[in-house]
Amino acid sequence: MSLFVIITFLALAFLGMPLAFSLGVAAMTGLWLADIDLLMLPPRLMNAINSFPLMSIPLFMIAGELMLKGGIMERLVDFANAFIGRVRGGLAQVTIVAGAGLASVSGAAVADASALSSTLVPSLKKQYGLGFSTGLVAAAANLGPIIPPSGAMIVCAFMAGSSVSVGGMFMSGVVPGLILFASFMVLCWFIAWKRDYPLAGQPVTLPAILRELRRSFIVFLMPVIVIGGIVAGVFTPTEGAAVGVCYALFLGFFVTRRLRLADLPTVLLAAAKTSALVGAMIAFASTVTFLFTIDLLPMKLAALMQGITDSPFLFLCLIALMLLVVGMFLESNAAYIMLVPLFHPIALQYGIDPLHFGFLFVLNLVIGMLTPPVGVVLFVVCGITGVRMGELVRESWPFIAVMYAVLLLCMVFPGIVTWLPERLGY
C-alpha cells in the first residue's frame, strides 16, 4: 500500500498536479485500498493543522514582507558598504552581508531572492556581469532558511514532533549560518581575485560606520527581540512572530516611513496563499503518514537502514544522498512534510541528536533550492533578472560546493550544530 501511495503521488506530481492535491489524491487512494472509511479523512485533516505553532509561519512571512516593503534593503546595503569598504569584490561581499542581514528578519529564501535580485543585481552586473551577479544573489538568498528565524525550521520541527523545539532548531542554525556566511565572503574574495574584478566601494571610515550603525541599529533590534524573547522563554515562537509583525509595522510606518496602508493587502494575500499551500500539504501528509504507519513503513525502513549500516555517520551520508536527489525534483516544504516523519524516528534509533538531524535535513533541502531542475530560488532569480538558467547554474556551483562542505563539516562535527542549543538548555 505504501508503495502504491508513493507511486500515485509521484505520478500526479510529474504530470503537473499541485503537490498538495497530489498528496490528497494519493491519501484518498490509500484509504480506499486499505478499506478504511473515508469519513475519517475530514477530522484528520482538521486536527493536523489545528495547531497554534503553525500560526508562526504566516506571521514570520508577514513580518519579513513588511520589513522589505518598509525600505529595510537600502539600510542593509548602506550598513554593509560602510563595513566592507574598498576591497576587491567588495560589492559582492556587500551582497552577502545584506543577504545575512535580510535572513535575520525574513527567514524565507524565495522572499530574500526576490528582494536581492530586484535591488542589487542592476548594480552588480555593471561590475561582474549578469551570470556571477545572479549566482551570488541566489547564494545570499539561501542564507535565509539557515540563519534564524526560519520558516523551514518551523515546518521541520513541527513534523518531527515533541522531541524538537522551534527555538532549539533556530539556535542550531546560528553557528553553521555564521560559518556559511564567512565561507561565502572568502569565496567572493577568491573569485574576485582570480577574475581580476575591479576594486569597489568607499574607504572604511569611523564616521561612516557610526552613522550607518545609528541608522540600522533599530532594524537589527528585531531579530534580537524576537529570537532573544523565544530563547529566554518570554514568549513562544508564535507570539514572537506576532511581536515581529508589530515591530515591522512600527518600523515601516514611523521609522523608515516607506510602508503604506495600500501595501498591507498585498502582504496579507501573499502570506495567506503560502500558508494555505503549506497547511494543505501538512493536512494531506498527515493522512499519508497515517497510512505509512499502519503499513509499518517506518519500521521496515529502520530495519533496511540498520541492515545496510549500523554507523550513524553512514546513515547521515545515505540521507544526504537521498535528499540530494529529492531536492532536485521536489519542493522543499513537501519534502519536510513527507520525509521528516519517516526518517526522524530512525535517526533517534541511531542515537543522533534530534536537533542535529533536523538541521542537517534543513540544510540538505536548502541546497536543493539551488539545484536544477526544480531549484525554486533559481526560478525566482531567472524570472526577475532575465538571466539564462544555464548561466545561473554554472555560476552557482562554487557556492553549492561551499554549502556541501559546510554540510559535511556539520556531519563530522555535530557540536557545530548542537553546542549553542545545549548551552541554552535545548
Side-chain angles (χ1 to χ4, degrees), residues 167 170-171 221-241 243 426:
F170 281 178
M171 291 301 99
L221 268 182
M222 178 185 170
V224 173
I225 293 172
V226 173
I227 305 301
I230 294 171
V231 172
V234 178
F235 36 69
T236 66
T238 303
E239 293 163 347
V243 169
Y426 289 106

Side-chain angles (χ1 to χ4, degrees), residues 1 25 45 50 73-74 118 131 158 193 218 266 275 298 307 351 393 396:
M1 182 181 66
V25 174
L45 297 180
N50 186 21
M73 273 304 303
E74 294 178 6
S118 56
F158 179 79
W193 169 77
I218 195 167
T266 304
S275 303
V393 170
S396 299

Side-chain angles (χ1 to χ4, degrees), residues 67-79 95 98-99 102 112 115-120:
M67 295 286 274
L68 293 178
K69 289 188 178 295
I72 184 178
M73 273 304 303
E74 294 178 6
R75 295 204 176 193
L76 288 176
V77 171
D78 291 341
F79 173 81
T95 303
L102 198 57
D112 293 0
L116 292 169
S117 296
S118 56
T119 306
L120 293 177

Side-chain angles (χ1 to χ4, degrees), residues 74-84 97 204-222 224 247 251 255:
E74 294 178 6
R75 295 204 176 193
L76 288 176
V77 171
D78 291 341
F79 173 81
N81 267 319
F83 275 85
I84 299 299
V97 174
V204 177
T205 63
L206 183 59
I209 291 176
L210 293 177
R211 182 178 66 251
E212 295 306 328
L213 270 176
R214 188 166 55 251
R215 290 183 71 237
S216 304
F217 176 73
I218 195 167
V219 172
F220 287 109
L221 268 182
M222 178 185 170
V224 173
Y247 193 84
L251 283 183
V255 179

